[in-house]
Amino acid sequence: MTKKISTSDLDPFQFALLYQKLEKVHTGWLALVSVGVAGVLILASVLEGTFGGLGDFQVVADVKRTLGIAHPERSSPSFPFMRDFVSWLLATIVVTGAVLLHRHWQYMSTCLSKLAKNGVLVARKEPRSNRLSKMLRVDRMIQGVGQDQALNTIVIKVMEVLKRRSVGLLVLMGGSALVLTILLILGLENNMFHVLAPAGASPQEKSVWVREAYSSWWAGKHHLAGHILYWVLAWFAIFVILSFQVVGVIATYLLAAMHFVVEPSADWLNRDGRYGWTPLAALYRTVMWANGLLGLTLTIVLASLGINNYGWVAVLVVVYIVLVPLFVGVPWLVVRRAADTARNARAEQIAGLMADRGIDIESDVENAAPYIAELERCRAARIRPLRLGTASFSTYAVIAVLPVLLTAAQIFLPLTFGTR
């Protein structure tokens, strides 16, 4: 018989400090922040006379200019708020990412305990031990601990370390976000409008046009309120990105450590319609959407800077390319055999019950029938711990992985955007 366990949770609200007082708040309320952000940006541009009018709304034409598609007229070096569709889009992504991060952490803060309660995480008879478990310090953390308490012990010890270092973690992420924001702002200041410069103009004419465009930009350094707001939004966006990544690395570590002390099972009553794995599926779905959002953000920023200027955001690009496969792949590796493991354990349980009750499948067909029916039901069960909903795994994988390929292509292949 497998032994059910109980465990604490990896709760980012307890050590990441961001959202610490908002753990129990419904994520929907955070979406109202978007109204405030839009209002502040519009107010600042109106007060500084950089809001513009309907005639400045040139999304289609500017996209054509960015992609180097033939466009009918020369672009004016004027960039009020109404023309800056890229900033609208990025601000929307920032708010969406902040809301998604809150939901992601809410799912994470209850995931392990719910999985244990559902009976889909059960204690191994003996913990696994190999070179990787020693490298992850799993062997040391669970030394002298009962197997049914091993996972809880690991989670508690990880949380204790994170809580002690929460302030340092905040300073590190905040400082890193500031450095990356400075690089991003400098990159935008020097390169943002090159992709929109008029076709056929001489290098000198383009240089003059870019300077005039930046001077007119509602968020440029010549417009203090807009510039400060852009800095704040950029810093917060990068801070949110780093929060996703840092907590994601910690969660990935814990997921790998779990492999040595628990094994997957299933809720054979199927009370949640996913054989008990709904908490993990919900969490994994937010991981995939977060990676997709980050990929979209980087693609937009690279297009704005011009592909040849990717160095200004190179750190974020490298982190993205390295960590996306980790966040997408490690959960799959850990639970890829969950269905077979659960079915085999259930089959052994059913066979054991039959043996304990003296039911012989050859001579006692009538009494054996319910057990055989249950065995067939379990063998046919579609246990998919990472099932993502109505969309297939491949759909979400494309959302998360395609931007990696696009970003890599933009960096390493001779692609260029903008007028020439």
Side-chain angles (χ1 to χ4, degrees), residues 330-341:
V330 170
W332 178 82
L333 287 173
V334 171
V335 302
R336 71 190 188 283
R337 294 177 181 158
D340 289 338
T341 301

Side-chain angles (χ1 to χ4, degrees), residues 83 89 91 97 114 121 152 166 178 180 202 256 328 373 414 416 420:
R83 185 175 180 181
L89 188 56
K114 286 183 177 180
L121 296 180
N152 188 47
S166 59
L178 180 59
L180 293 174
S202 67
V328 173
T416 58
R420 293 183 288 277

Side-chain angles (χ1 to χ4, degrees), residues 160-188:
E160 286 175 350
V161 172
L162 292 171
K163 286 179 181 178
R164 288 198 302 268
R165 299 178 180 177
S166 59
V167 175
L169 197 61
L170 178 66
V171 172
L172 177 62
M173 289 194 301
S176 299
L178 180 59
V179 171
L180 293 174
T181 301
I182 292 173
L183 290 174
L184 173 62
I185 296 297
L186 287 175
L188 292 174

Side-chain angles (χ1 to χ4, degrees), residues 291-308:
N291 284 311
L293 270 182
L294 177 54
L296 176 62
T297 302
L298 289 176
T299 300
I300 292 171
V301 171
L302 284 168
S304 298
L305 290 174
I307 303 309
N308 295 331

Side-chain angles (χ1 to χ4, degrees), residues 102-310:
H102 182 264
R103 177 58 59 88
H104 176 64
W105 284 1
Q106 282 188 329
Y107 285 151
M108 187 180 292
S109 67
T110 61
C111 183
L112 290 179
S113 60
K114 286 183 177 180
L115 292 176
K117 183 179 179 180
N118 291 347
V120 301
L121 296 180
V122 296
R124 291 186 180 275
K125 294 178 181 178
E126 294 292 335
R128 288 186 174 181
S129 180
N130 56 29
R131 185 176 299 176
L132 180 58
S133 69
K134 291 180 173 64
M135 186 175 70
L136 296 175
R137 303 174 68 89
V138 173
D139 296 21
R140 180 178 297 185
M141 284 190 286
I142 64 172
Q143 188 173 11
V145 175
Q147 190 58 15
D148 60 329
Q149 288 298 312
L151 177 57
N152 188 47
T153 299
I154 292 173
V155 175
I156 289 175
K157 289 186 176 181
V158 169
M159 285 294 297
E160 286 175 350
V161 172
L162 292 171
K163 286 179 181 178
R164 288 198 302 268
R165 299 178 180 177
S166 59
V167 175
L169 197 61
L170 178 66
V171 172
L172 177 62
M173 289 194 301
S176 299
L178 180 59
V179 171
L180 293 174
T181 301
I182 292 173
L183 290 174
L184 173 62
I185 296 297
L186 287 175
L188 292 174
E189 181 177 339
N190 292 306
N191 303 287
M192 182 175 180
F193 298 101
H194 282 282
V195 295
L196 296 172
S202 67
Q204 184 177 0
E205 289 175 331
K206 285 186 177 182
S207 178
V208 172
W209 188 96
V210 168
R211 285 198 301 271
E212 291 179 357
Y214 182 80
S215 297
S216 70
W217 185 36
W218 71 274
K221 61 184 179 182
H222 303 287
H223 306 289
L224 186 60
H227 195 54
I228 291 174
L229 286 174
Y230 203 92
W231 266 85
V232 171
L233 275 177
W235 176 87
F236 182 69
I238 295 174
F239 186 80
V240 167
I241 290 170
L242 294 179
S243 297
F244 265 116
Q245 310 291 29
V246 170
V247 175
V249 169
I250 296 167
T252 302
Y253 162 80
L254 187 58
L255 187 61
M258 285 170 50
H259 172 72
F260 298 98
V261 297
V262 297
E263 60 184 12
S265 185
D267 171 21
W268 292 110
L269 291 177
N270 197 19
R271 284 166 287 199
D272 64 354
R274 299 187 178 188
Y275 293 92
W277 286 99
T278 293
L280 182 60
L283 178 61
Y284 193 62
R285 185 166 57 246
T286 60
V287 170
M288 299 297 281
W289 280 117
N291 284 311
L293 270 182
L294 177 54
L296 176 62
T297 302
L298 289 176
T299 300
I300 292 171
V301 171
L302 284 168
S304 298
L305 290 174
I307 303 309
N308 295 331
N309 301 307
Y310 68 89

Side-chain angles (χ1 to χ4, degrees), residues 77-100:
S78 175
F79 286 87
F81 183 80
M82 280 294 291
R83 185 175 180 181
D84 194 3
F85 176 75
V86 169
S87 292
W88 301 2
L89 188 56
L90 289 176
T92 302
I93 292 174
V94 171
V95 174
T96 303
V99 171
L100 183 62

